[in-house]
Amino acid sequence: MTQVAEAPDIHQTIKETVGSPFTHKPKLSTRNVDVFYDDKQAIFDVSLDIGNHEVIALIGPSGCGKSTYLRCLNRMNDTIPSCSVTGEFRLDEEDIYAKEMDPVLLRARIGMVFQKPNPFPKSIYDNVAYGPKLHGLAGNRAELDEIVVSSLQKAGLYEEVKDRLNASGTGLSGGQQQRLCIARTIAVSPEVILMDEPASALDPIATATIEELIDELRQNYTIVIVTHSMQQAARVSQRTAYFHLGKLVEVGDTNQVFTNPQHQLTENYITGRFG
Amino acid sequence: MSNKMNHNMNNTEQVKRSLKKRHRQERRFILLGKLSVMTGFLFLAFLLADISIKAWPAFQQSWIQLDVTFDAQNLGVEAPADEAALKKGNYRGVLKQSLYAMFPEVSARRDKKALFKLISSGAEYQIRDTLLAAPEMLGTTQQTWVLADDDVDSFLKEEKMRELQQDDRRIKDNQVAWLDQLSEQGRIESKWNWAFLTSGDSREPEQAGIAGALRGTMLTILVVLAMSFPLGLAAAVYLEEFAPQNRWTDLIEINVNNLAAVPSIVFGLLGLAVFISFFGVPRSAPLVGGMVLTLMTLPTIIIASRASLKSVPPSIRDAALALGASKVQTVFQHVVPLAMPGILTGTIIGMAQALGETAPLLMIGMVAFIVDIPQGITDSATVLPVQIYLWADSPERAFMAKTSAAIIVLLLFLVTMNLLAVVLRKRFERKW
Ligand SMILES: Nc1ncnc2c1ncn2[C@@H]1O[C@H](COP(=O)(O)OP(=O)(O)OP(=O)(O)O)[C@@H](O)[C@H]1O
Ligand SMILES: [Mg+2]
């Protein structure tokens, strides 16, 4: 209720992003991003850099556009006919939305893990092997086996499923399914992994497993994670970006954002007075 | 505080009272449901029993044993005759002479005629084939089984015919006497009627079989399957997964739905005008029949397939796309396989509809009287439901049984197809 009442005011107060949205030599850089669903604007002039080998958390109240922004990065919004995206997106200086950029290749470089675990109704092995087969990453069966095993190991799932790689992926528990989805994403060796509330459907123990996993994955990948849990953001990320009603309000080191937010809206959200 | 407690108590009482009513409602509904199912089941059982009883005579056929003398003179051939000459022989005459020899007391012309009527008009071809198979029988007398006439067959099958007045039955008293005589000599037998399943249609009920219509139906259904499944699947996949959502696709969707409701006879007229008159596809053939039925089943398949594609969770598409699968790969490697059970069900339902369809086929000449069993999709043919329609319309008593027998064959065909559908669905079904 307060949100509705304050809305016009808020658009006034968010003139510019506070904090440090830009970094030196970013892995991903986005400038002046606007996103529309038909006539309705969902993202307003967002500029943000994502550094190499960092975990950045996107937080904010429901409906503020976190998922929308995330899906711009691997062009998943292309599949929504009503969605139009403008602005500049670069992956290592390459224009993501350029004509020459094939979304298929882009998505091999920027993987994605979804909120609800969505394994294919195939065997565990086939789930992980699908991506490498698709892109011809394995020359023969032995190489494919190798990729599957190492991906499952990196996702922390191998020990639990090594005896039943031919069992259906949908027969696993929720947490195992989500780790299977992560393994499936890793198997393609992406440079960036996007995660949209990867632990929101999981119990605390499964969540903890995923969080540990994210921490390990940071060695090799750049990770953008959307989360509703502030504790989770604090635990896994180095930087945090706070979105509000489609605008990027504040970006900064996670420590600093949580202990000393610059913007009133950020503070309200973090202290639980909002959203 | 006590006030609140009171209130709670009242609440519980209230719920309890309404609970009784709700339980009653539930029981009433379950009873109603059971009754509905029972009614449906009863009707089905009644129908099946009725048809089976009526059809039974069609699977039995009366035969009469004759002492056939293959006399060269009666046949009108020279003694050591070659096959061509034998083929042209007067077997009718041979049959007549053989019969008269067995009943020497019959002398009046009218009686002789009545006597000859006891056996099927196809008997002469039967004995011809017997002789052709063993030409050395020329000049000998052989005990040969021939088909009884359909009136004789009906008479023998129905006990109570005997009690009717002579004028009320087609078999007269003198014929009854001859039949009794034959029966005493063990010269009348009822045999399993294989011919019903192996021969084509005939004007004579005792010779008429279902094989032509059965083959015609198989060929037609094959044409329908070969055309409507790929077309329907492609259309459904395109409309559901690739086509932009705009006014044109809305229009197409509405039209597809409308087509599903168009009376089938209209498709028959369309087929006549377009396929036969314009494109010159041979009429009366399974090819054109299949094409017409394809028009009819396409909307069913498209609608069922689209519904099935729609029910595949979007998360599966997202998963494949996010891994870098192209749109086509996503659709054909994930979405279509998952939708396959529903698509197959829709296809089989469409096929079953097509299988039972008569009206459009009448329009394209598949109602013609065709004796030969069709060998290919361009031969003239008829199909089971049309055969049923034709036989049901025939005056001869024996065709009544044939009609029911044909219905049973059609039902068996349907059951086989549905079983196939279940098996296929089971094979394609995956656990989520
Ligand atoms: N496919 C769509 N079509 C139209 N509007 C959409 C679509 N997806 C999202 N929106 C709108 O865009 C805005 C941002 O949505 P988005 O899903 O990005 O929010 P979010 O921050 O991810 O929310 P949540 O935390 O609840 O997931 C919302 O107002 C939403 O209603
Ligand atoms: Mg979201």
Side-chain angles (χ1 to χ4, degrees):
Chain A
M1 249 180 36
T2 38
Q3 196 171 343
V4 173
E6 283 179 34
D9 212 8
I10 281 160
H11 278 278
Q12 296 298 313
T13 56
I14 315 170
K15 286 255 166 51
E16 227 156 53
T17 307
V18 298
S20 47
F22 307 125
T23 57
H24 180 62
K25 279 211 159 185
K27 181 74 188 167
L28 275 164
S29 88
T30 62
R31 292 288 181 278
N32 310 109
V33 176
D34 288 318
V35 181
F36 292 83
Y37 291 108
D38 287 323
D39 298 334
K40 190 171 154 286
Q41 190 159 4
I43 298 283
F44 297 81
D45 195 27
V46 168
S47 298
L48 179 65
D49 281 348
I50 294 156
N52 214 353
H53 291 238
E54 80 171 358
V55 178
I56 181 167
L58 312 184
I59 60 170
S62 187
C64 67
K66 307 176 296 285
S67 299
T68 302
Y69 176 78
L70 194 71
R71 290 165 60 91
C72 290
L73 300 177
N74 66 344
R75 291 182 61 174
M76 281 300 277
N77 281 335
D78 288 13
T79 60
I80 302 173
S82 68
C83 186
S84 66
V85 179
T86 57
E88 216 185 291
F89 294 80
R90 292 192 179 277
L91 170 66
D92 285 337
E93 298 303 310
E94 274 179 83
D95 185 356
I96 290 177
Y97 280 81
K99 268 214 187 73
E100 315 81 64
M101 176 58 86
D102 191 336
V104 167
L105 180 65
L106 176 73
R107 289 176 197 147
R109 294 176 64 188
I110 306 182
M112 189 164 196
V113 176
F114 296 84
Q115 175 172 2
K116 225 182 102 209
N118 55 354
F120 300 123
K122 300 182 178 202
S123 72
I124 294 170
Y125 184 96
D126 286 341
N127 261 285
V128 183
Y130 181 68
K133 270 195 216 158
L134 203 58
H135 302 296
L137 298 183
N140 53 45
R141 180 78 195 192
E143 277 179 46
L144 191 62
D145 287 349
E146 163 90 38
I147 294 177
V148 169
V149 170
S150 76
S151 303
L152 284 169
Q153 275 167 346
K154 278 187 214 156
L157 187 62
Y158 185 67
E159 287 304 316
E160 288 160 64
V161 300
K162 63 182 175 198
D163 306 324
R164 47 172 172 153
L165 290 180
N166 287 320
S168 175
T170 48
L172 297 174
S173 76
Q176 289 173 326
Q177 285 189 16
Q178 195 61 302
R179 277 179 283 151
L180 177 61
C181 292
I182 293 175
R184 183 175 67 183
T185 306
I186 297 172
V188 190
S189 306
E191 297 156 39
V192 182
I193 302 178
L194 311 176
M195 298 184 171
D196 195 347
E197 303 181 36
S200 68
L202 307 181
D203 67 72
I205 295 172
T207 303
T209 317
I210 301 269
E211 284 176 6
E212 276 166 34
L213 177 59
I214 292 171
D215 214 44
E216 278 164 34
L217 292 176
R218 183 159 61 93
Q219 317 293 324
N220 302 308
Y221 308 95
T222 301
I223 296 173
V224 187
I225 178 171
V226 171
T227 176
H228 269 141
S229 154
M230 258 139 338
Q231 292 88 333
Q232 185 169 75
R235 280 194 296 264
V236 302
S237 72
Q238 285 79 57
R239 282 168 81 225
T240 296
Y242 175 66
F243 282 74
H244 193 106
L245 288 179
K247 302 193 175 178
L248 180 54
V249 177
E250 179 167 352
V251 190
D253 287 343
T254 297
N255 256 335
Q256 178 257 313
V257 170
F258 281 104
T259 53
N260 183 21
Q262 307 286 302
H263 201 286
Q264 186 61 41
L265 284 168
T266 318
E267 189 178 337
N268 287 350
Y269 183 72
I270 284 166
T271 53
R273 257 178 280 163
F274 201 77
Chain B
M1 178 77 188
S2 73
N3 208 343
K4 200 176 173 193
M5 284 269 286
N6 233 336
H7 184 75
N8 274 349
M9 288 268 289
N10 278 346
N11 247 359
T12 317
E13 283 302 303
Q14 194 73 32
V15 169
K16 262 189 189 159
R17 230 171 301 143
S18 81
L19 212 59
K20 227 179 241 168
K21 201 170 144 197
R22 278 185 274 173
H23 283 322
R24 242 199 332 270
Q25 255 173 358
E26 203 171 300
R27 272 198 299 276
R28 216 176 308 144
F29 177 77
I30 288 175
L31 189 72
L32 206 73
K34 278 184 183 163
L35 269 176
S36 314
V37 173
M38 290 269 280
T39 316
F41 195 76
L42 227 85
F43 272 120
L44 186 70
F46 183 76
L47 181 83
L48 283 181
D50 181 58
I51 289 177
S52 302
I53 290 168
K54 279 198 186 132
W56 179 245
F59 291 103
Q60 299 284 316
Q61 180 65 50
S62 304
W63 291 69
I64 297 177
Q65 192 192 44
L66 299 180
D67 294 331
V68 178
T69 309
F70 292 107
D71 187 56
Q73 205 175 350
N74 280 338
L75 270 175
V77 297
E78 296 293 325
D82 59 355
E83 205 177 311
L86 281 181
K87 259 188 188 156
K88 285 201 211 93
N90 177 11
Y91 292 93
R92 207 176 157 82
V94 167
L95 270 180
K96 277 184 180 165
Q97 293 309 322
S98 307
L99 261 174
Y100 302 157
M102 285 167 72
F103 293 93
E105 71 280 8
V106 179
S107 55
R109 244 191 84 133
R110 266 185 50 190
D111 291 346
K112 279 184 168 177
K113 221 171 161 181
L115 179 64
F116 187 59
K117 270 219 170 136
L118 290 182
I119 58 172
S120 161
S121 61
E124 50 180 300
Y125 305 109
Q126 280 184 304
I127 64 164
R128 183 192 66 185
D129 292 344
T130 311
L131 184 61
L132 283 176
E136 68 277 5
M137 286 181 186
L138 187 62
T140 65
T141 301
Q142 300 287 336
Q143 295 198 325
T144 311
W145 287 100
V146 298
L147 279 173
D149 184 70
D150 62 296
D151 288 330
V152 172
D153 190 49
S154 301
F155 177 81
L156 291 172
K157 277 170 185 162
E158 286 180 63
E159 300 275 295
K160 60 179 189 291
M161 285 265 212
R162 232 168 239 280
E163 282 127 42
L164 290 178
Q165 289 297 311
Q166 156 153 260
D167 290 343
D168 294 338
R169 49 176 147 81
R170 297 178 65 89
I171 298 294
K172 305 305 173 195
D173 286 344
N174 53 353
Q175 290 175 308
V176 174
W178 296 326
L179 284 175
D180 287 343
Q181 206 175 321
L182 284 169
S183 184
E184 262 163 43
Q185 296 168 15
R187 285 175 180 271
I188 292 184
E189 225 172 65
S190 184
K191 300 190 185 184
W192 182 253
N193 187 10
W194 285 116
F196 179 69
L197 296 175
T198 57
S199 52
D201 195 12
S202 169
R203 294 279 184 223
E204 306 298 330
E206 72 272 15
Q207 295 167 47
I210 197 79
L214 192 62
R215 181 75 67 79
T217 286
M218 283 179 187
L219 290 170
T220 308
I221 285 295
L222 276 182
V223 172
V224 177
L225 185 67
M227 292 177 75
S228 65
F229 183 67
L231 281 177
L233 183 61
V237 167
Y238 175 73
L239 287 174
E240 197 54 43
E241 303 287 335
F242 293 97
Q245 292 295 313
N246 58 28
R247 228 175 308 151
W248 290 110
T249 40
D250 285 350
L251 195 73
I252 290 174
E253 169 146 22
I254 291 167
N255 273 311
V256 169
N257 290 343
N258 279 344
L259 275 182
V262 168
S264 54
I265 194 154
V266 176
F267 289 113
L269 287 167
L270 185 74
L272 180 63
V274 177
F275 297 144
I276 296 180
S277 305
F278 190 78
F279 286 111
V281 181
R283 54 185 296 134
S284 306
L287 177 61
V288 70
M291 285 162 91
V292 166
L293 293 177
T294 297
L295 288 182
M296 213 194 75
T297 45
L298 258 184
T300 311
I301 295 181
I302 292 176
I303 292 170
S305 302
R306 286 190 69 177
S308 185
L309 289 167
K310 217 174 253 166
S311 70
V312 174
S315 64
I316 293 294
R317 294 181 178 81
D318 283 346
L321 288 173
L323 280 174
S326 67
K327 182 89 197 187
V328 170
Q329 286 169 325
T330 303
V331 168
F332 284 98
Q333 292 172 356
H334 296 283
V335 181
V336 170
L338 288 176
M340 219 16 126
I343 293 174
L344 285 177
T345 310
T347 306
I348 301 272
I349 290 174
M351 294 286 131
Q353 265 176 8
L355 190 67
E357 203 51 67
T358 328
L361 301 181
L362 302 184
M363 292 292 105
I364 52 165
M366 288 191 89
V367 69
F369 171 71
I370 291 147
V371 176
D372 294 327
I373 296 172
Q375 298 303 318
I377 54 171
T378 51
D379 290 351
S380 287
T382 189
V383 291
L384 285 169
V386 175
Q387 187 72 77
I388 291 168
Y389 165 79
L390 285 171
W391 281 349
D393 224 24
S394 301
E396 285 89 346
R397 200 178 167 71
F399 272 129
M400 244 176 63
K402 301 257 165 185
T403 308
S404 296
I407 291 174
I408 287 190
V409 172
L410 179 65
L411 289 180
L412 282 178
F413 205 109
L414 262 174
V415 168
T416 315
M417 267 176 62
N418 283 334
L419 278 181
L420 194 74
V422 172
V423 170
L424 281 176
R425 207 159 52 204
K426 279 265 142 57
R427 275 205 55 175
F428 276 94
E429 215 148 54
R430 291 209 182 79
K431 279 199 206 109
W432 288 96

